[in-house]
Amino acid sequence: MTESPTTSELPTNIPQSEILDREAGLHRGLTSWQVAMIGLGSTIGTGLFLGSALSVKLAGPAVIVSFLLGAAVTVTVMWALAEMAAEHPAAGSFGLYAEMYVHPWAGFAIRYTYWLCLVFVVGSEVVAASIYCKYWWPAVPSWMWIAAFSLALLYVNTISIKSFGVFEYWLAMIKVVTIIAFLILGAALLFGVGFPRIGGSNYTAHDGFFPNGWSGVGLGMTMAIFSFLGLEIVGATAGEAANPSVAVPRALRRTLSFLVLFYLGGLAIVVGIVPWKEIDLVESPFVRVFRSVGISGAGNVMNFVVLTAALSSAMCNLYFTARLLFSLARGGYAPATLGKLNERGMPVAAVMASGVGLLIAFFLSHFFERTAFLFMIGVAFFGGPFVWIMILFTHLAFRRAKQRAGKSILRFAPPGPWSSLFGLVALVAVLISTWWVPGFRITMQAGPAWLFIMTICYLIWARVHREKPNT
């Protein structure tokens, strides 16, 4: 077993090189395409296939604009993370960068906040998977599916990183190929190529393209941002990528390009084929498209795809939660046992501890089956925008530090602070808007309270660490 190194002084005095070195031991076995597929695997899940229904209900056909604006914000985060990951490839990713360039509290809070966020995201994904299974087996209780999927996810996340990369590559490839086929078939349905022409009447026939005005578009951005969350997980693969300074920025670009195409194209087809008022959270809008046009067997195929998409996303998010917990343990912020690696370089203890979200999903689905999914993504949502805000804030500090040191960096964002500032303002607005999104009020109720608790925990940790410098 590889032991977690101990620290002998407060993190504020630790050189950046030592902060990076303490995460050594992970095996570098991921190719650039596997990294990209992990990014797609973590991002393309319930946000597109099930949660997008909520955006459609809020914005109507103008959900296309909501996701376009969400993509513009996501670009700023991608630029910031690519620059920092190319300079400092490490599993701790943005949590480590916040510790290095902002303050140890920032690194502590961002990693624990996002760990909690992803714990609930993983749980929401397996809840969604159980919803998809009801399409075929409505009499089987959800908790049985959740239990079976949870065991499988834990197993896959404790094998070697090469095996994990191969497994996730092909699992993500299923949904990539299917979404491309969906885009082609959907376009054929809209334009009448081989099918009766549907046309574009559904974009304006039901109270217009902006049925709920620009406020609906703004609220729709909430789910759009949730759908793009997961892109940042690509940064965490830097600690296990074969050539991180090249693979990670390239994977970020590829992932975002695919996401914009899939989300905008997929939702444009969904609201073009199915009247937006008929879409709800009972089933995936993508399954509804095929069911509504009467294509034999297509609904079953799409339901299988959205099922694999949810499981793929859950598997990648569990991967990242474990790396965050591993990074915290190696920094002395969590029990040292969670920073240990097995002989295959896998943080098994951190994986098992991060599986708590699966247990939460199991109990919620048993007692609150109809509301478990929306509740879990509502709780999880605070962590995503908060982490993106911190990434952009850290990027501003990162650039200032490099400029003062006269050191050149591999640049992706435009010169100046404006792209990161734009992203910061937009994300703060999105976070505040959750107060008016049905089912998401828990986001602003739980989020600030969580940060307050994290601050108290950090101050206690710092005081104990200062009083016991040799522990």
Side-chain angles (χ1 to χ4, degrees), residues 61-80:
V63 67
I64 300 168
V65 180
S66 297
F67 272 73
L68 187 62
L69 294 173
V73 174
T74 307
V75 168
T76 66
V77 178
M78 185 271 289
W79 283 336

Side-chain angles (χ1 to χ4, degrees), residues 35-45 47 74 77-78 81 93-94 114 117-118 121 125 224-237 251-252 255-256 259 263 313 316-317 319-320 381 383-385 387-388 391:
V35 171
M37 283 301 182
I38 288 174
L40 289 173
S42 63
T43 310
I44 302 177
T74 307
V77 178
M78 185 271 289
L81 190 56
S93 188
F94 47 78
Y114 205 50
C117 164
L118 288 186
V121 167
E125 297 285 2
I225 294 296
F226 179 83
S227 298
F228 284 113
L229 291 174
L231 180 77
E232 67 282 352
I233 290 178
V234 174
T237 63
L252 282 165
T255 303
L256 184 58
L259 289 177
Y263 284 145
S313 180
C316 287
N317 286 317
Y319 163 88
F320 192 30
F381 187 75
V387 164
W388 279 18
I391 287 173

